[in-house]
């Protein structure tokens, strides 16, 4: 493997492609053609379309994310944890349907046991990059399905998933909580109040209806329900996960600045030290390490 290649971060809703030439990212493409948004096309067709501007370079392609799931292009077997993420480059899955382009998919990681049934795809590549760029004993990857990962060096010892982002979307769009609300507006103060409430009382199932009651009774502005609910859910998630993993860690939070900042407020509330790492930077650093391992 040379220092020139194409990397695809191909998730459920988005696809990001990066062109590397002699170790430097020289171009990138962003698309909304995630595996749930193929709009009648096949993954193979989207793959060919995305790399077509660079296909004349005849470069190998490394893919990570949900493209390797049972809903993606190829169902790539998971690596069973505990696992050393430095070994990812030794377990790449070749995609024969991409030929004559040489392409591989990075495998995901799973726990399959009575006390923890969990899977990840795509996050493992970011974790490898974070281990290189901003090592920690606990990593937090907020999003639709937030991942909390305990590591000892490069060894993934445990991880858990919180469906916080998806719960917020479902409750705001398909439940009584969000029914009939006007357009939502950002409110840092309301988010903070929700955050403190969720963190102090993390068992929030019995309190979710109060979100609706609060705006019905005019105790909560109807334009700030989204931020209150977001704070409540994030505060609850952080409190529960810190209870599980313990509060002695310094945490690397991987993602986009908006989400890392929101979760950072919760970690500040808990008195936990943390540092942020951009998700794209983590992915690209992880892919680089995988490519280097392939060359060995």
């Amino acid at each position: 493997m040379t220092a020139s290649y194409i990397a695809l971060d191909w998730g459920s809703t988005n696809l990001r492609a990066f062109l590397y030439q002699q170790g430097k990212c020289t171009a990138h493409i962003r698309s909304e053609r995630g595996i749930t948004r193929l709009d009648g096309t096949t993954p193979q067709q989207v793959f060919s379309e995305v790399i077509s501007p660079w296909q004349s370079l005849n470069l190998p392609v490394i893919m990570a994310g949900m493209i390797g799931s049972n809903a993606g292009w190829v169902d790539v077997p998971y690596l069973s944890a505990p696992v050393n993420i430095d070994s990812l480059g030794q377990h790449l899955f070749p995609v024969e349907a991409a030929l004559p382009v040489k392409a591989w998919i990075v495998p995901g990681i799973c726990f399959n046991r009575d006390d923890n049934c969990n899977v990840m795809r795509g996050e493992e590549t970011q974790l490898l990059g974070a281990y290189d760029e901003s090592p920690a004993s606990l990593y937090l990857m907020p999003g639709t399905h937030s991942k909390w990962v305990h590591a000892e060096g490069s060894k993934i010892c445990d991880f858990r998933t919180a469906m916080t982002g998806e719960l917020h979307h479902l409750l705001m769009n398909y439940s009584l909580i969000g029914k009939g609300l006007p357009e939502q507006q950002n409110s840092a103060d309301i988010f903070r109040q929700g955050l403190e409430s969720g963190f102090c009382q993390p068992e929030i199932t019995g309190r979710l209806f109060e979100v609706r009651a609060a705006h019905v009774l005019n105790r909560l502005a109807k334009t700030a329900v989204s931020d209150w609910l977001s704070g409540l859910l994030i505060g609850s998630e952080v409190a529960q996960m810190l209870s599980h993993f313990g509060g002695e860690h310094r945490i690397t939070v991987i993602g986009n600045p908006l989400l890392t900042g929101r979760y950072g407020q919760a970690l500040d509330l808990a008195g936990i030290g943390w540092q942020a790492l951009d998700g794209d930077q983590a992915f690209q650093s992880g892919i680089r390490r995988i490519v280097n391992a392939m060359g060995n």
Side-chain angles (χ1 to χ4, degrees):
M1 180 69 70
T2 68
S4 298
Y5 56 93
I6 297 168
L8 301 187
D9 184 4
W10 201 339
S12 297
T13 56
N14 295 286
L15 190 167
R16 293 171 296 179
F18 305 90
L19 172 64
Y20 284 86
Q21 294 178 294
Q22 300 307 312
K24 295 183 178 180
C25 184
T26 58
H28 69 274
I29 296 170
R30 294 180 181 269
S31 167
E32 294 185 353
R33 304 291 287 280
I35 63 169
T36 63
R37 297 178 176 176
L38 295 177
D39 298 327
T41 58
T42 67
Q44 185 170 359
Q45 289 171 326
V46 174
F47 173 84
S48 297
E49 177 184 323
V50 167
I51 71 166
S52 61
W54 310 324
Q55 195 158 1
S56 63
L57 300 173
N58 194 30
L59 296 177
V61 182
I62 311 297
M63 296 177 277
M66 291 298 289
I67 191 60
S69 72
N70 59 4
W73 193 358
V74 183
D75 189 2
V76 179
Y78 291 100
L79 295 180
S80 294
V83 65
N84 192 311
I85 51 173
D86 267 340
S87 69
L88 287 175
Q90 303 167 22
H91 297 280
L92 301 186
F93 193 92
V95 183
E96 293 183 2
L99 292 172
V101 178
K102 293 181 179 180
W104 294 265
I105 294 177
V106 181
I109 298 173
C110 75
F111 272 100
N112 185 6
R113 63 192 194 201
D114 290 343
D115 67 336
N116 186 10
C117 191
N118 251 297
V119 296
M120 68 165 67
R121 285 200 189 273
E123 293 94 349
E124 75 293 319
T125 303
Q126 289 186 321
L127 282 170
L128 180 56
Y131 171 63
D132 190 45
E133 300 268 345
S134 187
S137 58
L138 189 61
Y139 298 91
L140 164 56
M141 311 168 82
T144 304
H145 301 146
S146 297
K147 302 291 184 186
W148 291 71
V149 184
H150 174 225
E152 294 179 358
S154 62
K155 181 182 179 182
I156 302 303
C157 302
D158 186 18
F159 70 87
R160 306 285 163 148
T161 305
M163 296 177 64
T164 302
E166 183 171 356
L167 280 175
H168 182 273
H169 175 77
L170 293 173
L171 291 170
M172 285 299 298
N173 291 280
Y174 301 103
S175 82
L176 197 60
I177 287 176
K179 189 173 180 60
L181 292 177
E183 182 177 351
Q184 296 296 287
Q185 299 177 8
N186 293 333
S187 174
D189 288 342
I190 293 298
F191 171 77
R192 179 74 181 186
Q193 292 171 29
L195 191 69
E196 293 173 351
S197 181
F199 184 80
C200 293
Q201 296 178 282
E203 299 296 333
I204 60 171
T205 305
R207 300 183 54 220
L208 286 174
F209 187 78
E210 294 180 22
V211 180
R212 171 171 169 77
H215 75 73
V216 169
L217 298 174
N218 297 317
R219 295 180 62 88
L220 174 64
K222 289 179 170 56
T223 57
V225 174
S226 178
D227 266 353
W228 173 269
L229 180 61
S230 176
L232 191 69
L233 292 171
I234 290 174
S236 171
E237 175 192 337
V238 170
Q240 291 185 61
M241 289 298 179
L242 290 180
S243 176
H244 173 75
F245 288 106
E248 71 278 7
H249 302 278
R250 180 170 177 83
I251 300 177
T252 294
V253 187
I254 308 164
N256 70 64
L258 174 61
L259 273 179
T260 56
R262 288 200 160 207
Y263 276 77
Q265 289 185 55
L267 295 172
D268 289 341
L269 189 63
I272 303 295
W274 63 281
Q275 59 264 348
L277 178 63
D278 179 78
D280 274 356
Q281 182 180 345
F283 172 81
Q284 293 182 56
S285 180
I287 284 290
R288 188 180 304 113
R289 290 194 63 157
I290 290 170
V291 169
N292 289 340
M294 291 178 69
N296 295 331

